[in-house]
Amino acid sequence: GLQCYEQDGDYAQCRPSCVAGAPDPQHWDGKPWSCKELGSRTAGEPACGKPGQDCTHSHCCADPGLQCFVKNASFATCKAECVAGGPDITDMDSTPWTCEKLGERTPGAQDWVKDQCSSGWESCVKTNCCKVPGEQCHKQNDFFGECKALNSCMTPGWSCEKAGLQTPAPPAKGGKVSPWALQKCGRINEGCTESKCCLGMDVQCYEKASGWAQCKQSCVPGPHADDKNETWSCKPLGPRSYGLATKGSPSLFCFSVLRTVGYEAGLMAAQKAKGAGIFDCDDHMLLTADGTTTVGGEKTVQFTGAPIVTSIDGTAGNTFL
């Protein structure tokens, strides 16, 4: 599924596709590509894998920034990171990974991009590339264009023709947490010696010494004042958790502030009964001024309200207007 494309008279590369006249943010230099086809395209589909697909034989990944890591003798897949000896909380089971690397990590945005490419209101028609990860040059006309998020160009009077390639964003880390992890993995400050995995936001299993490990957000090797100055090795024993994503990834925490009188409590109860609104997030919180109101059997959390004052136009407000 690959075609040999020429960059210039000195270099060519086998690639799935090529954009003529533009540099490639993933390539090691910022020279534009002529995209002259040399030879015929190889039959079939590109072999490099996506996350979740087996890359045991291809030894390569399709998405920027990913590396093919080995789980065991029968499976390997593309991930952003891997901790040897620990499980993957997004995997189907708790089997530990060897994390042997197969092939090279797929390149992400190169260093030259931040110096050579455009951003903000700068015209990108001449550079044909963008500094900000996730953005691509969109034309107003043949003389002016701006870097915008992919498919976000809807400005009246713009052609919105895409120029160059999208600058790749850093690879996503984490994912939807598997059911087994909810039962086996520790929460913050809990032990994780056997499970070698943790659940929470930015939490990882760190070893103190042989026989004890704990879920912490960070760990500095040496004496720990919060543990009677005993020495920690702080060796990571498993993957870092990037949120408790049980319904989708990334994880989403939602909250709602509601009045204790009137229709709002009833409206929230109707949403809760349907599992809609904030109740469809990975987790949620209901906030009221008294903290005793219940919504669909769920007690709300009290928060301190802001004083109601009078704004400069004579209406109520709780901030300067």
Side-chain angles (χ1 to χ4, degrees):
L2 301 182
Q3 170 70 52
C4 181
Y5 289 106
E6 180 185 79
Q7 182 183 32
D8 52 30
D10 299 319
Y11 184 77
Q13 187 182 60
C14 294
R15 308 159 60 92
S17 60
C18 188
V19 177
D24 181 352
Q26 292 179 247
H27 195 59
W28 57 73
D29 64 40
K31 297 178 182 178
W33 287 69
S34 72
C35 293
K36 178 182 178 181
E37 296 181 2
L38 304 179
S40 301
R41 182 178 291 273
T42 304
E45 297 295 325
C48 294
K50 293 275 191 178
Q53 296 177 345
D54 192 6
C55 55
T56 302
H57 301 293
S58 69
H59 290 198
C60 63
C61 299
D63 296 340
L66 298 187
Q67 169 73 53
C68 180
F69 287 108
V70 173
K71 177 180 181 180
N72 50 36
S74 59
F75 185 73
T77 197
C78 296
K79 308 199 298 180
E81 57 190 6
C82 191
V83 178
D88 181 340
I89 61 175
T90 67
D91 196 9
M92 61 170 49
D93 59 44
S94 59
T95 303
W97 286 63
T98 69
C99 294
E100 176 189 354
K101 296 178 182 179
L102 299 181
E104 297 181 358
R105 185 179 292 271
T106 304
Q110 300 296 295
D111 290 340
W112 61 263
V113 171
K114 63 179 179 290
D115 297 321
Q116 178 175 321
C117 298
S118 306
S119 65
W121 292 345
E122 298 173 348
S123 178
C124 54
V125 169
K126 292 184 178 180
T127 62
N128 281 329
C129 62
C130 298
K131 291 181 183 180
V132 179
E135 292 190 349
Q136 187 170 7
C137 182
H138 292 74
K139 290 184 177 181
Q140 180 184 25
N141 48 46
D142 289 339
F143 308 102
F144 185 79
E146 289 180 357
C147 291
K148 299 176 181 289
L150 192 63
N151 298 322
S152 69
C153 183
M154 295 177 286
T155 309
W158 283 55
S159 71
C160 290
E161 177 188 351
K162 296 171 184 174
L165 293 164
Q166 181 187 23
T167 300
K173 297 179 180 180
K176 185 177 178 180
V177 177
S178 291
W180 68 263
L182 299 175
Q183 303 297 323
K184 289 190 175 183
C185 299
R187 266 66 172 179
I188 191 164
N189 296 326
E190 291 182 350
C192 54
T193 307
E194 295 183 4
S195 68
K196 293 182 173 61
C197 60
C198 301
L199 298 176
M201 185 62 214
D202 201 24
V203 181
Q204 189 160 18
C205 182
Y206 289 104
E207 182 183 69
K208 174 183 177 181
S210 179
W212 178 248
Q214 190 176 46
C215 294
K216 303 166 71 73
Q217 289 187 313
S218 62
C219 191
V220 178
H224 279 214
D226 60 351
D227 191 24
K228 301 177 182 179
N229 283 325
E230 294 193 16
T231 300
W232 282 65
S233 72
C234 292
K235 176 184 176 182
L237 296 186
R240 181 168 290 276
S241 172
Y242 296 97
L244 192 56
T246 58
K247 297 185 178 182
S249 181
S251 60
L252 185 63
F253 179 85
C254 303
F255 68 92
S256 181
V257 179
L258 61 147
R259 298 174 62 190
T260 57
V261 294
Y263 64 87
E264 294 184 5
L267 181 61
M268 296 305 298
Q271 290 185 30
K272 181 177 175 62
K274 293 180 178 292
I278 70 168
F279 303 100
D280 195 32
C281 301
D282 291 295
D283 202 357
H284 66 271
M285 182 178 290
L286 294 168
L287 302 171
T288 59
D290 62 7
T292 60
T293 300
T294 58
V295 173
E298 179 178 340
K299 188 176 179 181
T300 60
V301 176
Q302 185 179 21
F303 77 104
T304 303
I308 298 176
V309 297
T310 303
S311 64
I312 58 176
D313 63 356
T315 59
N318 56 17
T319 187
F320 179 77
L321 297 175

